[in-house]
Amino acid sequence: MGTVTLGVSIAVPEPYGSQLQQRRAGFGDAAAHGIPTHVTLVPPTEVEADRLPAIRAHLAEVAAASCAFRMRLGGTGTFRPLSPVVYVQVVEGADGCTRLQGEVRAPDGPLDRELAFPYHPHVTVAHGISEEAMDLAFSALSEYTAEWLCEGFALYEQGSDGVWRKLREYPFGTGAIGVPPQPGRPAGEAAGATGATARPS
């Protein structure tokens, strides 16, 4: 059946997801429009396609046992010089993200994998562009803030065109609350574009 490249992430809700995506594109990051704005739980991972049913079942179990938690973004950070990335910081909700990613990557689960760097929840706003452009991203979003109630996560697949597309949403608990909608998806299609309050700058 071949392989697929998957990722698991928490979506940044609208309109803030689109706003940050547009800012990322404006800094010259050509990949911006193919990557919905998110906080990574599992980075790009190549797996055998026939493992998808087990992966979906595992993610559903993790989500069903999880509870909603507050997420708040504030200011910028960078992984330079180790990695050419500028990001918006997760200043509240990092513990929840860290717990989730550990459960999703559980050693006895279908998404067990080593990470290249210690896990650090963040929202990338510039990657692999010029130093000058990354400096601009770092300063332009230095006062950015946003907050929302995280009520689930989603599984994504990267297509041959490099674009990441959502395969399935995994709401926490047993309610019918979904992951916040992403660019190109009407808000009404995802029950749970929750009361996010953000102050983009």
Side-chain angles (χ1 to χ4, degrees):
M1 293 182 64
T3 63
V4 292
T5 299
L6 305 177
V8 181
S9 63
I10 294 170
V12 175
E14 294 300 342
Y16 318 109
S18 288
Q19 290 171 352
L20 285 175
Q21 191 177 46
Q22 290 164 5
R23 295 298 297 271
R24 181 171 178 173
F27 297 134
D29 191 331
H33 290 301
I35 306 174
T37 308
H38 67 281
V39 177
T40 297
L41 296 177
V42 177
T45 301
E46 187 175 346
V47 302
E48 296 294 329
D50 60 8
R51 290 173 57 193
L52 267 171
I55 289 169
R56 286 172 168 155
H58 171 63
L59 294 177
E61 289 179 3
V62 172
S66 300
C67 297
F69 58 91
R70 300 300 307 182
M71 291 282 290
R72 182 163 59 91
L73 308 180
T76 48
T78 182
F79 293 131
R80 294 182 289 174
L82 293 178
S83 182
V85 171
V86 170
Y87 57 86
V88 173
Q89 300 183 74
V90 175
V91 295
E92 182 178 353
D95 289 346
C97 294
T98 300
R99 175 188 57 78
L100 270 180
Q101 66 87 32
E103 293 175 356
V104 170
R105 292 191 304 105
D108 58 347
L111 284 173
D112 176 33
R113 58 158 292 175
E114 294 292 327
L115 299 180
F117 302 100
Y119 181 73
H120 181 85
H122 64 281
V123 177
T124 297
V125 290
H127 181 205
I129 56 179
S130 71
E131 289 294 325
E132 293 80 6
M134 284 194 285
D135 288 343
L136 175 60
F138 188 90
S139 61
L141 294 171
S142 63
E143 296 185 4
Y144 183 88
T145 62
E147 59 182 288
W148 71 94
L149 183 66
C150 176
E151 295 173 311
F153 56 82
L155 174 67
Y156 292 82
E157 179 180 352
Q158 187 178 38
S160 58
D161 55 1
V163 175
W164 287 91
R165 297 178 176 88
K166 187 185 297 181
L167 294 181
R168 185 172 296 183
E169 299 175 354
Y170 295 90
F172 294 154
T174 58
I177 299 173
V179 176
Q182 286 288 292
R185 179 172 186 177
E189 289 186 18
T194 62
T197 57
R199 300 173 294 281
S201 48

